[in-house]
Amino acid sequence: MHTVPNFDRIGEENAFAVLARANQLASGGMEVINLGIGQPDFPTPPHIVEAAIKALRDGQHGYTAATGMPELREAVCADLHRRFAAEVNPDNVIIVPGGKVTMFAAILMFGEPGAEILYPDPGFPIYRSMIEYTGATPVPVPIREDKGFGISAEETLGLITDKTRLLILNSPANPCGGVTPKSEIDALVAGLANHPDVAIMSDEIYDQLLYDGETHVTLLDYPEIRDRLILLNGWSKTYAMTGWRMGYSIWPDALYDKVRKLAVNAWSCVNTPAQFGGLAALTGRQDAVADMRAAFDTRRKVVHEMLNALPGVSCILPKGAFYAFPNITETGWEAKPLASALLENTGVATIGGPDFGILGEGYIRISYANSEDNIRRAITRIGDFLAG
Ligand code: PLP
């Protein structure tokens, strides 16, 4: 069979392959602790679950508008207004089946042979995979430990050429847990004035997971780029709803109809009861969000302290999301062999840094979306392995 070459260039997320291997080892009797997968270990808050069940019972079984239920799009705007005083028109909001779908749509819209797309490295692997799928040239924006794993505005602007179509940003970030400071975002946006044809996709899916009293800086705060800003967000991480496949994005007027038509062609609409769950999440009480954040914060400190006590390992304190990205160069191991040896020998699943980009060598990703007890036992096992 002849398939189009684009499909031979498509990549994947190794976190899912690690999960499969971890499950295989577990079914063979090994006690596996998974610090590989990036999903909250909490159940979805009950009032959200109840709202979706009620929707099913009430007969909400049909399609909604392709762009999502109007009341849900309004709730998204109200939530953004409540949290950031952002003014967003519901006519610019689309509900999509998960956070990933926005990057898929945005990269499809701007990627073609000859075009360049800037994306963070280390970064969420699907950015690069989708860029390669379209035939565009992926241009990595370095995310460096000595910059606290945030981007440098100067370095990013220096990578823009007359072929650049799209700049992908992600803060708080996967896999490093970095947060780009406001000063860098200010400088970046100022510099983007010289590149009016470059669109920006800001992946803010971890925007409620910042610590130490830091507040999130949303790109929505910059009116000068709103006409070319695509904002990616969703319910997966904030409300522990990864399996519901609920995301949303904000698109400028010039692009909105294009993404609406893609929705009509590809997914028609998002699962209707899930949209009711999403509505309850945004309009209901937010205490579960704060509770989960507090739990992640405690674990973050445990992970940071324990990792730094391991031989050859150093780790900066993550500022956001639920990932730590320890530097393992002094252990003498390369990252992917170490991640694999840890899984096979100690039952601890982590992800090798190179799975997030070339600059990930020398690091492994630890997801602390797991219980404190499991985290303590896992890092103790890693320490015994490294010492042994
Ligand atoms: N963006 C980033 C940075 C992520 O880490 C993830 C999930 O891990 C996503 C987007 C995708 O989220 P979803 O599961 O809602 O598709």
Side-chain angles (χ1 to χ4, degrees):
M1 275 186 291
H2 179 83
T3 61
V4 296
N6 307 41
F7 274 83
D8 299 325
R9 295 194 300 262
I10 209 160
E12 62 182 315
E13 253 190 279
N14 204 33
F16 286 96
V18 171
L19 181 65
R21 179 67 186 142
N23 289 341
Q24 202 179 26
L25 289 171
S27 63
M30 189 183 241
E31 205 247 56
V32 172
I33 304 177
N34 197 336
L35 305 184
I37 196 82
Q39 72 175 339
D41 55 318
F42 302 102
T44 304
H47 68 284
I48 301 175
V49 175
E50 289 309 321
I53 293 171
K54 181 172 183 312
L56 273 174
R57 293 224 165 93
D58 289 351
Q60 302 286 356
H61 304 166
Y63 297 122
T64 69
T67 49
M69 302 192 312
E71 59 272 45
L72 182 54
R73 288 160 50 206
E74 275 161 26
V76 165
C77 297
D79 177 63
L80 291 168
H81 190 265
R82 175 178 64 82
R83 296 192 294 126
F84 307 119
E87 296 291 345
V88 178
N89 186 331
D91 291 343
N92 294 96
V93 178
I94 179 165
I95 311 300
V96 287
K100 261 179 191 167
V101 177
T102 298
M103 65 187 78
F104 178 81
I107 295 169
L108 277 188
M109 220 177 265
F110 289 97
E112 63 176 330
E116 294 176 358
I117 298 184
L118 272 56
Y119 71 101
D121 179 335
F124 190 55
I126 301 304
Y127 304 141
R128 185 182 175 109
S129 164
M130 275 306 298
I131 297 167
E132 288 186 329
Y133 170 83
T134 66
T137 305
V139 179
V141 174
I143 304 294
R144 297 182 203 283
E145 186 177 358
D146 60 10
K147 288 264 177 195
F149 291 129
I151 60 158
S152 145
E154 194 186 342
E155 196 170 18
T156 308
L157 291 165
L159 293 167
I160 296 178
T161 71
D162 57 3
K163 299 197 188 81
T164 309
R165 300 272 176 81
L166 179 67
L167 164 63
I168 300 176
L169 301 171
N170 174 220
S171 175
N174 178 6
C176 307
V179 171
T180 298
K182 183 170 184 310
S183 54
E184 290 297 321
I185 299 180
D186 287 349
L188 180 68
V189 173
L192 285 171
N194 300 322
H195 306 283
D197 294 329
V198 176
I200 302 127
M201 188 195 82
S202 182
D203 181 343
E204 302 188 10
I205 201 150
Y206 295 102
D207 70 349
Q208 302 239 36
L209 289 174
L210 281 94
Y211 309 104
D212 301 326
E214 292 278 322
T215 49
H216 177 64
V217 180
T218 172
L219 272 279
L220 289 171
D221 266 353
Y222 298 83
E224 59 273 50
I225 53 163
R226 279 292 281 279
D227 61 349
R228 51 188 166 126
L229 173 69
I230 301 159
L231 184 105
L232 180 161
N233 210 326
W235 284 258
S236 295
K237 317 287 174 175
T238 308
Y239 296 101
M241 289 174 69
T242 50
W244 292 63
R245 310 313 301 138
M246 283 287 295
Y248 70 81
S249 36
I250 320 276
W251 295 74
D253 292 339
L255 303 180
Y256 191 79
D257 212 44
K258 295 181 199 284
V259 70
R260 183 192 63 76
K261 284 195 218 156
L262 185 67
V264 170
N265 279 267
W267 58 87
S268 296
C269 70
V270 175
N271 176 311
T272 303
Q275 292 195 56
F276 278 93
L279 183 61
L282 295 182
T283 56
R285 52 177 197 277
Q286 302 294 310
D287 49 344
V289 178
D291 291 349
M292 287 190 270
R293 185 189 307 116
F296 288 136
D297 190 13
T298 306
R299 299 163 183 187
R300 174 181 76 114
K301 290 172 184 149
V302 170
V303 164
H304 175 246
E305 193 188 316
M306 287 188 77
L307 285 173
N308 278 308
L310 301 184
V313 178
S314 64
C315 182
I316 65 170
L317 183 66
K319 296 196 185 78
F322 37 62
Y323 307 108
F325 208 57
N327 186 323
I328 50 96
T329 39
E330 297 295 313
T331 63
W333 282 85
E334 285 187 355
K336 283 185 63 115
L338 177 60
S340 158
L342 288 175
L343 179 57
E344 300 295 329
N345 294 290
T346 73
V348 176
T350 61
I351 313 280
D355 284 331
F356 302 96
I358 303 153
L359 290 176
E361 185 52 82
Y363 301 87
I364 58 172
R365 188 188 78 171
I366 305 266
S367 160
Y368 49 88
N370 206 323
S371 70
E372 188 179 329
D373 180 50
N374 278 345
I375 289 168
R376 287 188 183 278
R377 290 191 305 122
I379 301 181
T380 304
R381 285 191 207 172
I382 296 176
D384 290 347
F385 177 80
L386 288 174

